[in-house]
Amino acid sequence: MRLATWTVRLLVAGVFLAAAFGKIADPAAFRDAIGTFHLLPARAGDVLALWLPWLELCAALALFIPKHRPAAVWLLGAMTAAFLVALALAAARGLDIRCGCFGAATTVSGRGYFEYFVRDGLLLAGIGFLVWRERAEERALTPSH
Amino acid sequence: MKPALRRSFGWLLGAATLFAVAHVSVSARARAVLTAELPAGELTAADARAQRGAVLWIDARPRAEFARGHVAGAISLNEDEWESRIADVLQLWEPGRRVIVYCSETGCHASHRVAERLRRDYRLDDVWVLHGGWAAWQKAEAR
């Protein structure tokens, strides 16, 4: 189980680190990608475009700091879940969006959404596994009375 | 929530904020995100007014709002009446003619959706959204 946990941890961290670096390198492209979802006022999108990639980076790195790991997995889970909700809203409104996930400006529309739902659903499942492992490890370390 | 978990959240959110602030202070590209006046694909009412005459104005608001007032020369094309209106709009368009779409204000998204549909489905490439919509236009006209 330790090997599986570390494998998933490395995969999740790798995905978020790659995502963060792409966005940090080109914040304007990420800001424009956020704009294609039509969910936030323009100014909020600007701030999110500058802040979110650093949160991804910090949370991904914190997966390797035992003290901060529980908070990191919850933050990564919340970010992924929020993205899936935004994706679902965009799909329901029939928008052509740009994911902005790794800094590349690929347009997503129609059936293209499916790939993103699958990909991010798997990512969320991986993070869910890490949450479960964190809780199991915490229980194992808690002295029983 | 446990105090240790709360502290961790604080550390991570704080670190991300500090890094973002540092990024903005050292990177011109990051600063440009905050100082850029307009999102991509939008133009201001002042810029739009300077081009009046050569522009095909499209009002993406509901018909009732259009009837209460609109940009002079604008044609109504909202999503609810798309099928019955699009042919009339396309008849007025000719290659090289700029299209500017607007809705009520900054918070409305109908203009973006209509503009996107014109670009995607009808291959119109010079389509813009009026930043701030009808509200911004009225303000600009009042000046």
Side-chain angles (χ1 to χ4, degrees), chain B residues 97-134:
Chain B
R97 189 170 186 188
R98 173 161 290 183
V99 177
I100 303 178
V101 190
Y102 66 93
C103 50
S104 307
E105 56 191 0
T106 309
C108 71
H109 299 302
S111 53
H112 286 275
R113 291 195 295 270
V114 166
E116 184 58 37
R117 215 162 157 181
L118 290 170
R119 290 188 202 109
R120 183 190 61 206
D121 297 347
Y122 300 92
R123 303 285 170 212
L124 307 193
D125 53 4
D126 196 7
V127 181
W128 296 79
V129 167
L130 176 65
H131 184 71
W134 173 237

PDB file of all heavy atoms in Angstrom, chain B residues 97-134:
ATOM      1  N   ARG B  97     -16.287  44.139 -42.886  1.00  0.00           N
ATOM      2  CA  ARG B  97     -17.093  44.960 -41.982  1.00  0.00           C
ATOM      3  C   ARG B  97     -16.949  44.439 -40.549  1.00  0.00           C
ATOM      4  O   ARG B  97     -17.217  43.272 -40.281  1.00  0.00           O
ATOM      5  CB  ARG B  97     -18.561  44.934 -42.401  1.00  0.00           C
ATOM      6  CG  ARG B  97     -19.391  45.947 -41.626  1.00  0.00           C
ATOM      7  CD  ARG B  97     -20.784  46.082 -42.208  1.00  0.00           C
ATOM      8  NE  ARG B  97     -21.507  47.155 -41.541  1.00  0.00           N
ATOM      9  CZ  ARG B  97     -22.784  47.407 -41.714  1.00  0.00           C
ATOM     10  NH1 ARG B  97     -23.483  46.666 -42.556  1.00  0.00           N
ATOM     11  NH2 ARG B  97     -23.383  48.390 -41.069  1.00  0.00           N
ATOM     12  N   ARG B  98     -16.552  45.328 -39.667  1.00  0.00           N
ATOM     13  CA  ARG B  98     -16.366  44.937 -38.261  1.00  0.00           C
ATOM     14  C   ARG B  98     -17.704  44.739 -37.564  1.00  0.00           C
ATOM     15  O   ARG B  98     -18.650  45.482 -37.810  1.00  0.00           O
ATOM     16  CB  ARG B  98     -15.553  46.000 -37.536  1.00  0.00           C
ATOM     17  CG  ARG B  98     -15.450  45.770 -36.046  1.00  0.00           C
ATOM     18  CD  ARG B  98     -14.319  46.539 -35.453  1.00  0.00           C
ATOM     19  NE  ARG B  98     -13.035  45.990 -35.873  1.00  0.00           N
ATOM     20  CZ  ARG B  98     -11.857  46.432 -35.461  1.00  0.00           C
ATOM     21  NH1 ARG B  98     -11.798  47.453 -34.632  1.00  0.00           N
ATOM     22  NH2 ARG B  98     -10.744  45.888 -35.861  1.00  0.00           N
ATOM     23  N   VAL B  99     -17.775  43.721 -36.723  1.00  0.00           N
ATOM     24  CA  VAL B  99     -18.994  43.441 -35.959  1.00  0.00           C
ATOM     25  C   VAL B  99     -18.713  43.713 -34.481  1.00  0.00           C
ATOM     26  O   VAL B  99     -17.691  43.267 -33.956  1.00  0.00           O
ATOM     27  CB  VAL B  99     -19.425  41.958 -36.140  1.00  0.00           C
ATOM     28  CG1 VAL B  99     -20.653  41.643 -35.286  1.00  0.00           C
ATOM     29  CG2 VAL B  99     -19.686  41.643 -37.611  1.00  0.00           C
ATOM     30  N   ILE B 100     -19.590  44.477 -33.842  1.00  0.00           N
ATOM     31  CA  ILE B 100     -19.466  44.696 -32.393  1.00  0.00           C
ATOM     32  C   ILE B 100     -20.761  44.243 -31.726  1.00  0.00           C
ATOM     33  O   ILE B 100     -21.846  44.684 -32.105  1.00  0.00           O
ATOM     34  CB  ILE B 100     -19.193  46.176 -32.042  1.00  0.00           C
ATOM     35  CG1 ILE B 100     -17.923  46.660 -32.764  1.00  0.00           C
ATOM     36  CG2 ILE B 100     -19.035  46.331 -30.525  1.00  0.00           C
ATOM     37  CD1 ILE B 100     -17.593  48.127 -32.512  1.00  0.00           C
ATOM     38  N   VAL B 101     -20.617  43.331 -30.770  1.00  0.00           N
ATOM     39  CA  VAL B 101     -21.772  42.763 -30.071  1.00  0.00           C
ATOM     40  C   VAL B 101     -21.810  43.337 -28.658  1.00  0.00           C
ATOM     41  O   VAL B 101     -20.769  43.503 -28.027  1.00  0.00           O
ATOM     42  CB  VAL B 101     -21.656  41.222 -29.996  1.00  0.00           C
ATOM     43  CG1 VAL B 101     -22.954  40.611 -29.488  1.00  0.00           C
ATOM     44  CG2 VAL B 101     -21.286  40.634 -31.348  1.00  0.00           C
ATOM     45  N   TYR B 102     -22.997  43.622 -28.168  1.00  0.00           N
ATOM     46  CA  TYR B 102     -23.092  44.081 -26.788  1.00  0.00           C
ATOM     47  C   TYR B 102     -24.314  43.487 -26.103  1.00  0.00           C
ATOM     48  O   TYR B 102     -25.268  43.067 -26.763  1.00  0.00           O
ATOM     49  CB  TYR B 102     -23.134  45.613 -26.722  1.00  0.00           C
ATOM     50  CG  TYR B 102     -24.360  46.245 -27.329  1.00  0.00           C
ATOM     51  CD1 TYR B 102     -25.482  46.538 -26.550  1.00  0.00           C
ATOM     52  CD2 TYR B 102     -24.408  46.562 -28.686  1.00  0.00           C
ATOM     53  CE1 TYR B 102     -26.613  47.120 -27.106  1.00  0.00           C
ATOM     54  CE2 TYR B 102     -25.529  47.149 -29.244  1.00  0.00           C
ATOM     55  CZ  TYR B 102     -26.635  47.420 -28.452  1.00  0.00           C
ATOM     56  OH  TYR B 102     -27.745  47.994 -29.013  1.00  0.00           O
ATOM     57  N   CYS B 103     -24.232  43.430 -24.777  1.00  0.00           N
ATOM     58  CA  CYS B 103     -25.413  43.097 -23.980  1.00  0.00           C
ATOM     59  C   CYS B 103     -25.569  44.193 -22.934  1.00  0.00           C
ATOM     60  O   CYS B 103     -25.197  45.336 -23.204  1.00  0.00           O
ATOM     61  CB  CYS B 103     -25.350  41.686 -23.407  1.00  0.00           C
ATOM     62  SG  CYS B 103     -23.830  41.251 -22.561  1.00  0.00           S
ATOM     63  N   SER B 104     -26.083  43.881 -21.755  1.00  0.00           N
ATOM     64  CA  SER B 104     -26.463  44.954 -20.832  1.00  0.00           C
ATOM     65  C   SER B 104     -25.275  45.652 -20.183  1.00  0.00           C
ATOM     66  O   SER B 104     -25.190  46.867 -20.150  1.00  0.00           O
ATOM     67  CB  SER B 104     -27.358  44.392 -19.725  1.00  0.00           C
ATOM     68  OG  SER B 104     -28.419  43.708 -20.293  1.00  0.00           O
ATOM     69  N   GLU B 105     -24.377  44.839 -19.625  1.00  0.00           N
ATOM     70  CA  GLU B 105     -23.269  45.425 -18.848  1.00  0.00           C
ATOM     71  C   GLU B 105     -22.123  44.426 -18.777  1.00  0.00           C
ATOM     72  O   GLU B 105     -22.186  43.367 -19.395  1.00  0.00           O
ATOM     73  CB  GLU B 105     -23.763  45.766 -17.448  1.00  0.00           C
ATOM     74  CG  GLU B 105     -24.360  44.540 -16.763  1.00  0.00           C
ATOM     75  CD  GLU B 105     -25.102  44.861 -15.490  1.00  0.00           C
ATOM     76  OE1 GLU B 105     -25.170  46.029 -15.104  1.00  0.00           O
ATOM     77  OE2 GLU B 105     -25.607  43.903 -14.884  1.00  0.00           O
ATOM     78  N   THR B 106     -21.107  44.731 -17.972  1.00  0.00           N
ATOM     79  CA  THR B 106     -19.933  43.866 -17.893  1.00  0.00           C
ATOM     80  C   THR B 106     -20.299  42.454 -17.430  1.00  0.00           C
ATOM     81  O   THR B 106     -19.742  41.482 -17.896  1.00  0.00           O
ATOM     82  CB  THR B 106     -18.901  44.468 -16.918  1.00  0.00           C
ATOM     83  OG1 THR B 106     -18.694  45.819 -17.297  1.00  0.00           O
ATOM     84  CG2 THR B 106     -17.593  43.712 -16.975  1.00  0.00           C
ATOM     85  N   GLY B 107     -21.244  42.365 -16.477  1.00  0.00           N
ATOM     86  CA  GLY B 107     -21.569  41.052 -15.897  1.00  0.00           C
ATOM     87  C   GLY B 107     -22.369  40.142 -16.803  1.00  0.00           C
ATOM     88  O   GLY B 107     -22.500  38.954 -16.527  1.00  0.00           O
ATOM     89  N   CYS B 108     -22.929  40.640 -17.896  1.00  0.00           N
ATOM     90  CA  CYS B 108     -23.726  39.762 -18.767  1.00  0.00           C
ATOM     91  C   CYS B 108     -22.787  39.044 -19.748  1.00  0.00           C
ATOM     92  O   CYS B 108     -21.734  39.563 -20.088  1.00  0.00           O
ATOM     93  CB  CYS B 108     -24.787  40.561 -19.531  1.00  0.00           C
ATOM     94  SG  CYS B 108     -24.125  41.620 -20.818  1.00  0.00           S
ATOM     95  N   HIS B 109     -23.189  37.879 -20.172  1.00  0.00           N
ATOM     96  CA  HIS B 109     -22.300  37.101 -21.043  1.00  0.00           C
ATOM     97  C   HIS B 109     -22.918  36.806 -22.406  1.00  0.00           C
ATOM     98  O   HIS B 109     -22.311  36.141 -23.229  1.00  0.00           O
ATOM     99  CB  HIS B 109     -21.920  35.792 -20.352  1.00  0.00           C
ATOM    100  CG  HIS B 109     -21.194  36.016 -19.066  1.00  0.00           C
ATOM    101  ND1 HIS B 109     -20.030  36.725 -18.998  1.00  0.00           N
ATOM    102  CD2 HIS B 109     -21.481  35.654 -17.802  1.00  0.00           C
ATOM    103  CE1 HIS B 109     -19.613  36.788 -17.747  1.00  0.00           C
ATOM    104  NE2 HIS B 109     -20.486  36.154 -16.999  1.00  0.00           N
ATOM    105  N   ALA B 110     -24.137  37.300 -22.621  1.00  0.00           N
ATOM    106  CA  ALA B 110     -24.817  37.014 -23.892  1.00  0.00           C
ATOM    107  C   ALA B 110     -23.990  37.514 -25.072  1.00  0.00           C
ATOM    108  O   ALA B 110     -23.907  36.857 -26.107  1.00  0.00           O
ATOM    109  CB  ALA B 110     -26.198  37.664 -23.893  1.00  0.00           C
ATOM    110  N   SER B 111     -23.355  38.678 -24.913  1.00  0.00           N
ATOM    111  CA  SER B 111     -22.579  39.229 -26.028  1.00  0.00           C
ATOM    112  C   SER B 111     -21.403  38.310 -26.375  1.00  0.00           C
ATOM    113  O   SER B 111     -21.086  38.114 -27.544  1.00  0.00           O
ATOM    114  CB  SER B 111     -22.063  40.624 -25.681  1.00  0.00           C
ATOM    115  OG  SER B 111     -21.374  40.599 -24.456  1.00  0.00           O
ATOM    116  N   HIS B 112     -20.769  37.735 -25.339  1.00  0.00           N
ATOM    117  CA  HIS B 112     -19.647  36.827 -25.598  1.00  0.00           C
ATOM    118  C   HIS B 112     -20.123  35.565 -26.317  1.00  0.00           C
ATOM    119  O   HIS B 112     -19.460  35.069 -27.219  1.00  0.00           O
ATOM    120  CB  HIS B 112     -18.971  36.437 -24.276  1.00  0.00           C
ATOM    121  CG  HIS B 112     -18.153  37.551 -23.702  1.00  0.00           C
ATOM    122  ND1 HIS B 112     -16.858  37.782 -24.081  1.00  0.00           N
ATOM    123  CD2 HIS B 112     -18.462  38.505 -22.810  1.00  0.00           C
ATOM    124  CE1 HIS B 112     -16.401  38.829 -23.432  1.00  0.00           C
ATOM    125  NE2 HIS B 112     -17.352  39.297 -22.644  1.00  0.00           N
ATOM    126  N   ARG B 113     -21.278  35.069 -25.896  1.00  0.00           N
ATOM    127  CA  ARG B 113     -21.774  33.840 -26.527  1.00  0.00           C
ATOM    128  C   ARG B 113     -22.167  34.098 -27.980  1.00  0.00           C
ATOM    129  O   ARG B 113     -21.867  33.294 -28.862  1.00  0.00           O
ATOM    130  CB  ARG B 113     -22.954  33.285 -25.715  1.00  0.00           C
ATOM    131  CG  ARG B 113     -22.540  32.747 -24.340  1.00  0.00           C
ATOM    132  CD  ARG B 113     -23.640  31.894 -23.723  1.00  0.00           C
ATOM    133  NE  ARG B 113     -24.822  32.675 -23.427  1.00  0.00           N
ATOM    134  CZ  ARG B 113     -25.038  33.292 -22.252  1.00  0.00           C
ATOM    135  NH1 ARG B 113     -24.138  33.199 -21.289  1.00  0.00           N
ATOM    136  NH2 ARG B 113     -26.138  33.979 -22.045  1.00  0.00           N
ATOM    137  N   VAL B 114     -22.835  35.228 -28.218  1.00  0.00           N
ATOM    138  CA  VAL B 114     -23.234  35.559 -29.594  1.00  0.00           C
ATOM    139  C   VAL B 114     -21.987  35.779 -30.459  1.00  0.00           C
ATOM    140  O   VAL B 114     -21.892  35.272 -31.581  1.00  0.00           O
ATOM    141  CB  VAL B 114     -24.149  36.806 -29.596  1.00  0.00           C
ATOM    142  CG1 VAL B 114     -24.288  37.365 -31.005  1.00  0.00           C
ATOM    143  CG2 VAL B 114     -25.520  36.455 -29.024  1.00  0.00           C
ATOM    144  N   ALA B 115     -21.010  36.519 -29.917  1.00  0.00           N
ATOM    145  CA  ALA B 115     -19.778  36.769 -30.672  1.00  0.00           C
ATOM    146  C   ALA B 115     -19.064  35.461 -30.999  1.00  0.00           C
ATOM    147  O   ALA B 115     -18.596  35.246 -32.124  1.00  0.00           O
ATOM    148  CB  ALA B 115     -18.862  37.695 -29.874  1.00  0.00           C
ATOM    149  N   GLU B 116     -18.995  34.589 -29.999  1.00  0.00           N
ATOM    150  CA  GLU B 116     -18.317  33.302 -30.198  1.00  0.00           C
ATOM    151  C   GLU B 116     -19.017  32.481 -31.280  1.00  0.00           C
ATOM    152  O   GLU B 116     -18.391  31.853 -32.132  1.00  0.00           O
ATOM    153  CB  GLU B 116     -18.290  32.536 -28.870  1.00  0.00           C
ATOM    154  CG  GLU B 116     -17.530  31.227 -28.900  1.00  0.00           C
ATOM    155  CD  GLU B 116     -16.076  31.404 -29.324  1.00  0.00           C
ATOM    156  OE1 GLU B 116     -15.469  32.427 -28.935  1.00  0.00           O
ATOM    157  OE2 GLU B 116     -15.563  30.534 -30.044  1.00  0.00           O
ATOM    158  N   ARG B 117     -20.348  32.514 -31.267  1.00  0.00           N
ATOM    159  CA  ARG B 117     -21.124  31.754 -32.255  1.00  0.00           C
ATOM    160  C   ARG B 117     -20.918  32.306 -33.668  1.00  0.00           C
ATOM    161  O   ARG B 117     -20.832  31.546 -34.635  1.00  0.00           O
ATOM    162  CB  ARG B 117     -22.600  31.851 -31.863  1.00  0.00           C
ATOM    163  CG  ARG B 117     -23.383  30.617 -32.163  1.00  0.00           C
ATOM    164  CD  ARG B 117     -24.654  30.598 -31.383  1.00  0.00           C
ATOM    165  NE  ARG B 117     -25.612  29.738 -32.057  1.00  0.00           N
ATOM    166  CZ  ARG B 117     -26.854  29.525 -31.638  1.00  0.00           C
ATOM    167  NH1 ARG B 117     -27.278  30.124 -30.550  1.00  0.00           N
ATOM    168  NH2 ARG B 117     -27.655  28.721 -32.293  1.00  0.00           N
ATOM    169  N   LEU B 118     -20.836  33.610 -33.772  1.00  0.00           N
ATOM    170  CA  LEU B 118     -20.601  34.222 -35.085  1.00  0.00           C
ATOM    171  C   LEU B 118     -19.222  33.851 -35.618  1.00  0.00           C
ATOM    172  O   LEU B 118     -19.050  33.578 -36.806  1.00  0.00           O
ATOM    173  CB  LEU B 118     -20.738  35.751 -35.001  1.00  0.00           C
ATOM    174  CG  LEU B 118     -22.148  36.280 -34.772  1.00  0.00           C
ATOM    175  CD1 LEU B 118     -22.118  37.769 -34.464  1.00  0.00           C
ATOM    176  CD2 LEU B 118     -23.025  36.011 -35.997  1.00  0.00           C
ATOM    177  N   ARG B 119     -18.251  33.825 -34.723  1.00  0.00           N
ATOM    178  CA  ARG B 119     -16.893  33.457 -35.144  1.00  0.00           C
ATOM    179  C   ARG B 119     -16.826  31.986 -35.532  1.00  0.00           C
ATOM    180  O   ARG B 119     -16.263  31.625 -36.549  1.00  0.00           O
ATOM    181  CB  ARG B 119     -15.898  33.695 -33.993  1.00  0.00           C
ATOM    182  CG  ARG B 119     -15.644  35.128 -33.671  1.00  0.00           C
ATOM    183  CD  ARG B 119     -14.494  35.225 -32.655  1.00  0.00           C
ATOM    184  NE  ARG B 119     -14.570  36.492 -31.962  1.00  0.00           N
ATOM    185  CZ  ARG B 119     -14.929  36.647 -30.686  1.00  0.00           C
ATOM    186  NH1 ARG B 119     -15.190  35.585 -29.952  1.00  0.00           N
ATOM    187  NH2 ARG B 119     -14.985  37.839 -30.139  1.00  0.00           N
ATOM    188  N   ARG B 120     -17.426  31.156 -34.685  1.00  0.00           N
ATOM    189  CA  ARG B 120     -17.291  29.706 -34.847  1.00  0.00           C
ATOM    190  C   ARG B 120     -18.171  29.159 -35.980  1.00  0.00           C
ATOM    191  O   ARG B 120     -17.700  28.436 -36.840  1.00  0.00           O
ATOM    192  CB  ARG B 120     -17.676  29.028 -33.521  1.00  0.00           C
ATOM    193  CG  ARG B 120     -17.522  27.517 -33.501  1.00  0.00           C
ATOM    194  CD  ARG B 120     -18.155  26.943 -32.253  1.00  0.00           C
ATOM    195  NE  ARG B 120     -19.581  27.233 -32.206  1.00  0.00           N
ATOM    196  CZ  ARG B 120     -20.292  27.318 -31.080  1.00  0.00           C
ATOM    197  NH1 ARG B 120     -19.728  27.181 -29.919  1.00  0.00           N
ATOM    198  NH2 ARG B 120     -21.590  27.556 -31.134  1.00  0.00           N
ATOM    199  N   ASP B 121     -19.450  29.542 -35.966  1.00  0.00           N
ATOM    200  CA  ASP B 121     -20.390  28.915 -36.899  1.00  0.00           C
ATOM    201  C   ASP B 121     -20.454  29.623 -38.244  1.00  0.00           C
ATOM    202  O   ASP B 121     -20.837  29.022 -39.238  1.00  0.00           O
ATOM    203  CB  ASP B 121     -21.798  28.879 -36.295  1.00  0.00           C
ATOM    204  CG  ASP B 121     -21.852  28.018 -35.040  1.00  0.00           C
ATOM    205  OD1 ASP B 121     -20.878  27.280 -34.809  1.00  0.00           O
ATOM    206  OD2 ASP B 121     -22.849  28.090 -34.307  1.00  0.00           O
ATOM    207  N   TYR B 122     -20.113  30.927 -38.263  1.00  0.00           N
ATOM    208  CA  TYR B 122     -20.269  31.678 -39.513  1.00  0.00           C
ATOM    209  C   TYR B 122     -18.948  32.249 -40.024  1.00  0.00           C
ATOM    210  O   TYR B 122     -18.925  33.008 -40.981  1.00  0.00           O
ATOM    211  CB  TYR B 122     -21.322  32.782 -39.324  1.00  0.00           C
ATOM    212  CG  TYR B 122     -22.653  32.185 -38.939  1.00  0.00           C
ATOM    213  CD1 TYR B 122     -22.985  32.027 -37.598  1.00  0.00           C
ATOM    214  CD2 TYR B 122     -23.534  31.699 -39.886  1.00  0.00           C
ATOM    215  CE1 TYR B 122     -24.179  31.429 -37.224  1.00  0.00           C
ATOM    216  CE2 TYR B 122     -24.727  31.098 -39.531  1.00  0.00           C
ATOM    217  CZ  TYR B 122     -25.046  30.967 -38.198  1.00  0.00           C
ATOM    218  OH  TYR B 122     -26.217  30.363 -37.835  1.00  0.00           O
ATOM    219  N   ARG B 123     -17.876  31.901 -39.314  1.00  0.00           N
ATOM    220  CA  ARG B 123     -16.510  32.255 -39.742  1.00  0.00           C
ATOM    221  C   ARG B 123     -16.305  33.768 -39.889  1.00  0.00           C
ATOM    222  O   ARG B 123     -15.536  34.201 -40.762  1.00  0.00           O
ATOM    223  CB  ARG B 123     -16.154  31.559 -41.068  1.00  0.00           C
ATOM    224  CG  ARG B 123     -16.283  30.051 -41.018  1.00  0.00           C
ATOM    225  CD  ARG B 123     -15.158  29.417 -40.263  1.00  0.00           C
ATOM    226  NE  ARG B 123     -15.405  28.009 -40.020  1.00  0.00           N
ATOM    227  CZ  ARG B 123     -14.987  27.347 -38.960  1.00  0.00           C
ATOM    228  NH1 ARG B 123     -14.314  27.970 -38.019  1.00  0.00           N
ATOM    229  NH2 ARG B 123     -15.220  26.072 -38.808  1.00  0.00           N
ATOM    230  N   LEU B 124     -17.022  34.556 -39.113  1.00  0.00           N
ATOM    231  CA  LEU B 124     -16.766  35.997 -39.109  1.00  0.00           C
ATOM    232  C   LEU B 124     -15.552  36.223 -38.207  1.00  0.00           C
ATOM    233  O   LEU B 124     -15.546  35.782 -37.067  1.00  0.00           O
ATOM    234  CB  LEU B 124     -17.966  36.783 -38.577  1.00  0.00           C
ATOM    235  CG  LEU B 124     -19.326  36.505 -39.232  1.00  0.00           C
ATOM    236  CD1 LEU B 124     -20.334  37.581 -38.808  1.00  0.00           C
ATOM    237  CD2 LEU B 124     -19.242  36.481 -40.735  1.00  0.00           C
ATOM    238  N   ASP B 125     -14.516  36.861 -38.729  1.00  0.00           N
ATOM    239  CA  ASP B 125     -13.280  36.933 -37.935  1.00  0.00           C
ATOM    240  C   ASP B 125     -13.067  38.270 -37.236  1.00  0.00           C
ATOM    241  O   ASP B 125     -12.274  38.367 -36.312  1.00  0.00           O
ATOM    242  CB  ASP B 125     -12.054  36.579 -38.790  1.00  0.00           C
ATOM    243  CG  ASP B 125     -11.983  37.416 -40.046  1.00  0.00           C
ATOM    244  OD1 ASP B 125     -12.839  38.309 -40.192  1.00  0.00           O
ATOM    245  OD2 ASP B 125     -11.091  37.178 -40.867  1.00  0.00           O
ATOM    246  N   ASP B 126     -13.797  39.303 -37.647  1.00  0.00           N
ATOM    247  CA  ASP B 126     -13.589  40.616 -37.022  1.00  0.00           C
ATOM    248  C   ASP B 126     -14.779  40.937 -36.111  1.00  0.00           C
ATOM    249  O   ASP B 126     -15.533  41.879 -36.347  1.00  0.00           O
ATOM    250  CB  ASP B 126     -13.429  41.676 -38.123  1.00  0.00           C
ATOM    251  CG  ASP B 126     -12.836  42.966 -37.587  1.00  0.00           C
ATOM    252  OD1 ASP B 126     -12.423  42.991 -36.404  1.00  0.00           O
ATOM    253  OD2 ASP B 126     -12.805  43.953 -38.328  1.00  0.00           O
ATOM    254  N   VAL B 127     -14.945  40.102 -35.080  1.00  0.00           N
ATOM    255  CA  VAL B 127     -16.091  40.248 -34.178  1.00  0.00           C
ATOM    256  C   VAL B 127     -15.581  40.637 -32.791  1.00  0.00           C
ATOM    257  O   VAL B 127     -14.692  39.977 -32.253  1.00  0.00           O
ATOM    258  CB  VAL B 127     -16.890  38.924 -34.075  1.00  0.00           C
ATOM    259  CG1 VAL B 127     -18.092  39.094 -33.149  1.00  0.00           C
ATOM    260  CG2 VAL B 127     -17.341  38.456 -35.449  1.00  0.00           C
ATOM    261  N   TRP B 128     -16.124  41.702 -32.252  1.00  0.00           N
ATOM    262  CA  TRP B 128     -15.684  42.218 -30.949  1.00  0.00           C
ATOM    263  C   TRP B 128     -16.871  42.332 -30.000  1.00  0.00           C
ATOM    264  O   TRP B 128     -18.008  42.421 -30.439  1.00  0.00           O
ATOM    265  CB  TRP B 128     -15.049  43.601 -31.122  1.00  0.00           C
ATOM    266  CG  TRP B 128     -13.802  43.549 -31.944  1.00  0.00           C
ATOM    267  CD1 TRP B 128     -13.729  43.461 -33.299  1.00  0.00           C
ATOM    268  CD2 TRP B 128     -12.466  43.530 -31.470  1.00  0.00           C
ATOM    269  NE1 TRP B 128     -12.423  43.395 -33.699  1.00  0.00           N
ATOM    270  CE2 TRP B 128     -11.622  43.455 -32.596  1.00  0.00           C
ATOM    271  CE3 TRP B 128     -11.875  43.598 -30.203  1.00  0.00           C
ATOM    272  CZ2 TRP B 128     -10.237  43.422 -32.494  1.00  0.00           C
ATOM    273  CZ3 TRP B 128     -10.501  43.582 -30.097  1.00  0.00           C
ATOM    274  CH2 TRP B 128      -9.693  43.492 -31.237  1.00  0.00           C
ATOM    275  N   VAL B 129     -16.530  42.366 -28.723  1.00  0.00           N
ATOM    276  CA  VAL B 129     -17.552  42.578 -27.695  1.00  0.00           C
ATOM    277  C   VAL B 129     -17.331  43.957 -27.087  1.00  0.00           C
ATOM    278  O   VAL B 129     -16.194  44.336 -26.779  1.00  0.00           O
ATOM    279  CB  VAL B 129     -17.464  41.480 -26.602  1.00  0.00           C
ATOM    280  CG1 VAL B 129     -18.284  41.853 -25.374  1.00  0.00           C
ATOM    281  CG2 VAL B 129     -17.923  40.139 -27.169  1.00  0.00           C
ATOM    282  N   LEU B 130     -18.403  44.698 -26.927  1.00  0.00           N
ATOM    283  CA  LEU B 130     -18.305  46.038 -26.329  1.00  0.00           C
ATOM    284  C   LEU B 130     -18.131  45.887 -24.814  1.00  0.00           C
ATOM    285  O   LEU B 130     -19.024  45.356 -24.137  1.00  0.00           O
ATOM    286  CB  LEU B 130     -19.578  46.834 -26.637  1.00  0.00           C
ATOM    287  CG  LEU B 130     -19.659  48.222 -26.003  1.00  0.00           C
ATOM    288  CD1 LEU B 130     -18.584  49.151 -26.568  1.00  0.00           C
ATOM    289  CD2 LEU B 130     -21.046  48.828 -26.223  1.00  0.00           C
ATOM    290  N   HIS B 131     -16.999  46.345 -24.313  1.00  0.00           N
ATOM    291  CA  HIS B 131     -16.716  46.230 -22.880  1.00  0.00           C
ATOM    292  C   HIS B 131     -17.702  47.103 -22.091  1.00  0.00           C
ATOM    293  O   HIS B 131     -17.824  48.289 -22.350  1.00  0.00           O
ATOM    294  CB  HIS B 131     -15.277  46.678 -22.602  1.00  0.00           C
ATOM    295  CG  HIS B 131     -14.862  46.500 -21.185  1.00  0.00           C
ATOM    296  ND1 HIS B 131     -14.630  45.263 -20.633  1.00  0.00           N
ATOM    297  CD2 HIS B 131     -14.662  47.393 -20.195  1.00  0.00           C
ATOM    298  CE1 HIS B 131     -14.279  45.407 -19.383  1.00  0.00           C
ATOM    299  NE2 HIS B 131     -14.300  46.683 -19.078  1.00  0.00           N
ATOM    300  N   GLY B 132     -18.399  46.481 -21.148  1.00  0.00           N
ATOM    301  CA  GLY B 132     -19.354  47.239 -20.335  1.00  0.00           C
ATOM    302  C   GLY B 132     -20.745  47.325 -20.957  1.00  0.00           C
ATOM    303  O   GLY B 132     -21.679  47.816 -20.328  1.00  0.00           O
ATOM    304  N   GLY B 133     -20.878  46.836 -22.197  1.00  0.00           N
ATOM    305  CA  GLY B 133     -22.183  46.726 -22.836  1.00  0.00           C
ATOM    306  C   GLY B 133     -22.954  48.039 -22.986  1.00  0.00           C
ATOM    307  O   GLY B 133     -22.367  49.125 -23.086  1.00  0.00           O
ATOM    308  N   TRP B 134     -24.274  47.902 -23.030  1.00  0.00           N
ATOM    309  CA  TRP B 134     -25.171  49.037 -23.256  1.00  0.00           C
ATOM    310  C   TRP B 134     -24.966  50.117 -22.194  1.00  0.00           C
ATOM    311  O   TRP B 134     -25.013  51.320 -22.487  1.00  0.00           O
ATOM    312  CB  TRP B 134     -26.606  48.514 -23.264  1.00  0.00           C
ATOM    313  CG  TRP B 134     -27.696  49.539 -23.319  1.00  0.00           C
ATOM    314  CD1 TRP B 134     -28.703  49.694 -22.425  1.00  0.00           C
ATOM    315  CD2 TRP B 134     -27.915  50.539 -24.326  1.00  0.00           C
ATOM    316  NE1 TRP B 134     -29.537  50.724 -22.808  1.00  0.00           N
ATOM    317  CE2 TRP B 134     -29.072  51.267 -23.977  1.00  0.00           C
ATOM    318  CE3 TRP B 134     -27.233  50.907 -25.492  1.00  0.00           C
ATOM    319  CZ2 TRP B 134     -29.562  52.321 -24.736  1.00  0.00           C
ATOM    320  CZ3 TRP B 134     -27.728  51.959 -26.254  1.00  0.00           C
ATOM    321  CH2 TRP B 134     -28.880  52.648 -25.876  1.00  0.00           C
TER     322      TRP B 134
END
